[in-house]
């Protein structure tokens, strides 16, 4: 089961991670009005707009937090030193072909259903490769994303605001769902 946010057809290289550069970071805000319900997020999906061939982004980290804030600043926030962020994924991500690509989280994130959701993606690949994926995104006003990319060293510096947020699916675990129906009568073949 998932909630899909965004149906835009514009593409962006910058968010969530810009593979043509050695390093990058991005942060995006998804509103409570888009997510609606409390949920235990166990997988996220990005919609790739081109057709990369077994493109591997190594050493990626995804952080999430419930927040009442919106992005008003492009200041880099180090999620490893800010305990309001929860590391939900760490590892390599492979993009092969276009369409939706699932990323199974290492830890379930408890979205509270009342706040906005902030996602920070840290790209510590350390090397660039061409033919990187681009991501289908939706234009929003005011800006709800920021990013920065660089070669040679991680850009822990001011970024750039963006009106584009990646289209995403937030997969979640259902709670208190009814159990499977059991046929009690009539008996089979009767």
């Amino acid at each position: 089961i998932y909630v899909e946010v965004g149906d835009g057809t514009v593409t962006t290289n910058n968010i969530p991670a810009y593979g043509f550069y050695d390093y990058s970071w991005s942060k995006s805000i998804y509103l409570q009005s888009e997510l609606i319900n409390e949920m235990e997020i166990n997988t996220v999906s990005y919609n790739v707009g081109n057709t990369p061939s077994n493109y591997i982004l190594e050493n990626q980290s995804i952080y999430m937090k419930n927040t009442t804030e919106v992005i008003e600043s492009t200041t880099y926030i180090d999620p490893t030193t800010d305990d309001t962020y929860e590391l939900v994924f760490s590892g390599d991500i492979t993009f092969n072909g276009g369409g939706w690509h699932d990323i199974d989280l290492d830890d379930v994130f408890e979205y509270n259903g009342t706040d906005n959701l902030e996602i920070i993606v840290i790209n510590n690949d350390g090397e660039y490769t061409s033919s990187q994926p681009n991501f289908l995104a939706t234009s929003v006003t005011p800006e709800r994303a920021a990013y920065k990319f660089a070669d040679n060293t991680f850009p822990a510096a001011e970024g750039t605001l963006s009106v584009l947020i990646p289209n995403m699916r937030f997969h979640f675990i259902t709670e208190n769902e009814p159990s499977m129906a059991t046929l009690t009568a009539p008996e089979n073949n009767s």
Side-chain angles (χ1 to χ4, degrees):
I1 298 176
Y2 59 83
V3 173
E4 188 173 315
V5 179
D7 59 3
T9 57
V10 178
T11 59
T12 178
N13 290 316
N14 305 320
I15 305 168
Y18 199 173
F20 191 64
Y21 284 81
D22 296 352
Y23 302 95
S24 66
W25 62 262
S26 71
K27 57 184 174 179
S28 307
I29 296 278
Y30 293 86
L31 302 178
Q32 184 279 333
S33 60
E34 296 167 329
L35 299 170
I36 301 172
N37 295 315
E38 176 182 356
M39 63 181 111
E40 295 179 339
I41 300 169
N42 61 358
T43 301
V44 293
S45 303
Y46 288 98
N47 199 353
V48 175
N50 59 348
T51 54
S53 178
N54 288 316
Y55 189 94
I56 301 173
L57 278 171
E58 296 179 349
N59 200 12
Q60 305 297 295
S61 300
I62 301 174
Y63 294 84
M64 293 183 177
K65 82 170 184 175
N66 294 298
T67 183
T68 57
E69 300 171 6
V70 293
I71 294 178
E72 296 175 347
S73 167
T74 60
T75 301
Y76 172 70
I77 298 170
D78 185 352
T80 64
T81 60
D82 184 333
D83 64 0
T84 63
Y85 291 92
E86 182 179 334
L87 177 64
V88 294
F89 176 84
S90 180
D92 301 342
I93 303 171
T94 301
F95 295 97
N96 191 26
W100 290 101
H101 289 264
D102 297 345
I103 302 169
D104 295 328
L105 303 182
D106 299 327
D107 294 309
V108 170
F109 181 78
E110 298 279 346
Y111 172 64
N112 64 19
T114 56
D115 293 330
N116 299 328
L117 174 64
E118 182 173 347
I119 300 174
I120 291 182
V121 177
I122 304 294
N123 169 21
N124 268 318
D125 191 306
E127 293 185 20
Y128 75 90
T129 307
S130 60
S131 303
Q132 74 278 359
N134 61 41
F135 302 92
L136 290 173
T138 298
S139 182
V140 295
T141 303
E143 296 96 341
R144 287 196 270 139
Y147 64 88
K148 182 75 173 177
F149 49 83
D151 282 328
N152 303 318
T153 185
F154 185 81
E158 290 287 323
T160 302
L161 281 175
S162 176
V163 296
L164 296 177
I165 59 168
N167 300 341
M168 288 196 71
R169 288 179 177 170
F170 298 92
H171 304 254
F172 62 96
I173 300 165
T174 59
E175 294 181 7
N176 302 321
E177 64 183 19
S179 55
M180 185 68 88
T182 303
L183 180 65
T184 56
E187 292 181 23
N188 284 340
N189 302 315
S190 64

